[in-house]
Amino acid sequence: MAVSEQPPEVPEIPSERDEVRPYGDTRGDGKVQMSFTLPVPCDPEGRAAAEHFVEKTGFDDPQIYHAKDLGEGYTFFVVYASTDIAVDLDALEIATVETETMSRKEVEAFVRDEIGRAVTVLGACTGTDAHSVGIDAIMNMKGYDGEYGLERYECIEAHNLGMQIPNDELVARAVEEDADALLISQVVTQNDTHLDNLSALIDILEAEGIRQDLLVVCGGPRIDHELALELGFDAGFGADTTPSEVASYIVQTLVERELV
Ligand code: B12
């Protein structure tokens, strides 16, 4: 049999920015894997309920790949399904922090040249939230993801107040230390406690008449810049933020807004 010299036919790959769909087996097939728990027993009726639920949410062709009986009449499902819905990347309007990220040494040189004194930064995980690992990652000497935290920066006087810090205590410390920037971490979002807590902080700063005198930045895995702006913060940082991104934002914005 003669060997064909023609290369094998490659299916056309949709690459348009307005046709972005989930990828499963082939580009653009719209396959999605989802997981959820239903208050149903792990039996044929329960499985049918899971498939029906997925169809009602608008997905086609649900296929249950995993069903785990959790006991007490509850079942955990992993379901594969598909959708025709596509995202148009050009239509997205995204609020992002736009300062250029500098290295620690560059931040230190910037502060030396443009500010001429150390910048005071207070950080805390506030309210009832006890997840201190995020704020520690940004502030602690030992840092995060191969970078040192703000405590290591010679040009930053960093005070990490820790977890479960009441808003009014943080504000009192901010006044006492004459802080240039506050860093607030919120990880727990159950019952929207983070929204209430973050808004309450802005209210206190406004009531004290100091909101405009300093930068107020929040962060956490479910925080983004857009949400932060809506809540009256100057900036918001989400998952995988690094200390240098935060330090760069603080020092450049302090200069830009003539706060130092
Ligand atoms: C460790 C942990 C705990 C530890 C916390 C220990 C500690 N000292 O921090 C303990 C055991 C105490 C705990 C308790 C609870 N936890 Co917990 N916990 C976690 C876990 C496993 C990891 C969190 C973590 O350390 N991430 C690593 C850090 C580095 O990531 P990060 O926080 O996102 O931080 C980064 C960015 O977000 C950003 N960032 C964070 N903060 C800030 C701030 C600023 C200013 C900036 C710029 C950036 C920034 O920078 C960081 C570095 O990139 C998560 C699940 C998970 N895998 O995420 C659950 C999780 C956060 N916990 C959860 C829950 C529900 C609880 C409890 C309510 C459980 C309970 N029923 O008791 C309690 C609440 C206690 C309380 N009062 O807050 C839920 C939260 C659900 C929600 N959306 O609200 C999660 C998501 C688990 C889950 N899937 O249900 N928890």
Side-chain angles (χ1 to χ4, degrees), residues 119-123 139 149-153 156-160:
V119 167
T120 302
V121 179
L122 297 193
M139 299 197 74
L150 303 191
E151 287 173 356
R152 183 79 179 214
Y153 286 60
I156 295 180
E157 201 181 305
H159 302 271
N160 184 353

Side-chain angles (χ1 to χ4, degrees), residues 22-140:
Y23 172 101
D25 301 318
T26 53
R27 171 112 192 223
D29 64 8
K31 293 287 185 193
V32 170
Q33 180 178 292
M34 60 189 91
S35 62
F36 52 88
T37 299
L38 288 184
V40 294
C42 189
D43 62 12
E45 188 187 42
R47 297 171 74 94
E51 287 177 356
H52 193 58
F53 167 73
V54 171
E55 281 173 338
K56 281 187 92 173
T57 60
F59 287 95
D60 299 319
D61 192 21
Q63 295 167 31
I64 297 175
Y65 275 74
H66 179 71
K68 169 83 177 159
D69 187 347
L70 300 180
E72 311 283 339
Y74 283 78
T75 305
F76 174 69
F77 294 97
V78 177
V79 182
Y80 211 43
S82 56
T83 177
D84 281 339
I85 292 174
V87 172
D88 178 355
L89 295 186
D90 293 328
L92 298 177
E93 284 174 22
I94 315 161
T96 51
V97 173
E98 284 178 359
T99 41
E100 186 198 333
T101 301
M102 302 184 286
S103 68
R104 178 169 61 96
K105 291 285 170 208
E106 286 169 335
V107 169
E108 283 169 351
F110 182 90
V111 172
R112 242 188 341 264
D113 298 345
E114 305 288 336
I115 299 179
R117 65 158 173 87
V119 167
T120 302
V121 179
L122 297 193
C125 184
T126 54
T128 56
D129 202 326
H131 293 86
S132 55
V133 180
I135 193 69
D136 289 348
I138 303 300
M139 299 197 74
N140 273 5

Side-chain angles (χ1 to χ4, degrees), residues 10-23:
V10 179
E12 199 178 319
I13 298 173
S15 59
E16 299 294 327
R17 286 174 56 80
D18 59 354
E19 283 292 306
V20 173
R21 280 198 184 76
Y23 172 101

Side-chain angles (χ1 to χ4, degrees), residues 128 130-134 144 185 187-190 219-222 238 240-241:
T128 56
H131 293 86
S132 55
V133 180
Y144 175 72
S185 182
V187 175
V188 175
T189 58
Q190 286 167 331
R222 280 158 290 276
D240 302 325
T241 304

Side-chain angles (χ1 to χ4, degrees), residues 179-219:
D180 296 297
L182 300 183
L183 298 181
I184 322 304
S185 182
Q186 289 286 277
V187 175
V188 175
T189 58
Q190 286 167 331
N191 300 322
D192 285 342
T193 44
H194 63 311
L195 303 183
D196 297 339
N197 195 34
L198 291 171
S199 303
L201 173 67
I202 298 297
D203 289 346
I204 298 174
L205 290 169
E206 280 172 356
E208 293 287 326
I210 56 170
R211 170 63 191 93
Q212 296 310 319
D213 301 341
L214 73 181
L215 291 179
V216 193
V217 175
C218 56

